[in-house]
Amino acid sequence: MRSFILRVNPLILIAVGLCSLLGSFAIRDLRVALIAAGAYAVAAIVLLPSWRFPLLCLGFTAFAAVSIVYSTWRLGGHDEQEAITAGIRIVVLAWPGSVALGYVDPSRLADYLAQSLHLPARFVAAFSAALQRFAGLHTSWQQLDRARRMRGFGPSRNPIATGRYAADMSFGLLVNALRGASQSSIAMDARGFAYAQDRTWAEPAPWTRLDLQGLAVAVALGAVAPILAIF
């Protein structure tokens, strides 16, 4: 069960985020908010292979939620229940989708976008290449940091020097990203991506019973808040 999210196709992972987004609009009171958030927490415990990445996403989402709680409490008549409800609504809106998208493989996503949704092949190939470049930013940052440290340009304890180091690293990362984008563009044009209308795909994109079960789970979790709001 804990490898469930790794085996479903990427469109199901996108559906998880979309359903949580739509379902969050039905959260109007604290009871509905707590039950909806609890449902996603239980699903995460049962279906996710590890808690490290989900907790990281939860930390970023919680930061946004705390700011919403404070602003709602400060500007909304100091109503604690309404403020907490607004904060949990943000968690339900953003946390499931951010976790699910973290497990999306750009190559598999391209296969399903082209073969299941029948999107234009040129757009799908360019979109997949862009996602792969974005996913490699962390690796590029590590390589740049390692190279600068080897040359004696590592960060120091001086806050000003640390800020200057971060700015230099960001500029180097930007240059590396532009260079990589140019190389990808030339490689894609050399392989006929600019003019090809019909393109074959290396991997099949079947819909299995597990994918249908995943879609049912995504819809069920997203429907928790609307159903509770009605009853």
Side-chain angles (χ1 to χ4, degrees), residues 4 8 12 208-219:
F4 177 83
V8 296
I12 302 302
T208 64
R209 181 178 299 178
L210 184 66
D211 296 327
L212 298 178
Q213 293 173 353
L215 183 60
V217 171
V219 173

Side-chain angles (χ1 to χ4, degrees), residues 47-94:
L47 301 177
L48 295 181
S50 170
W51 261 96
R52 179 176 299 179
F53 178 70
L55 285 177
L56 177 63
C57 294
L58 182 60
F60 286 108
T61 307
F63 179 79
V66 168
S67 65
I68 293 295
V69 169
Y70 176 74
S71 60
T72 303
W73 175 80
R74 183 72 180 271
L75 303 176
H78 296 76
D79 188 334
E80 291 84 0
Q81 183 170 326
E82 182 180 356
I84 296 174
T85 300
I88 298 178
R89 184 187 302 120
I90 294 299
V91 173
V92 173
L93 184 152

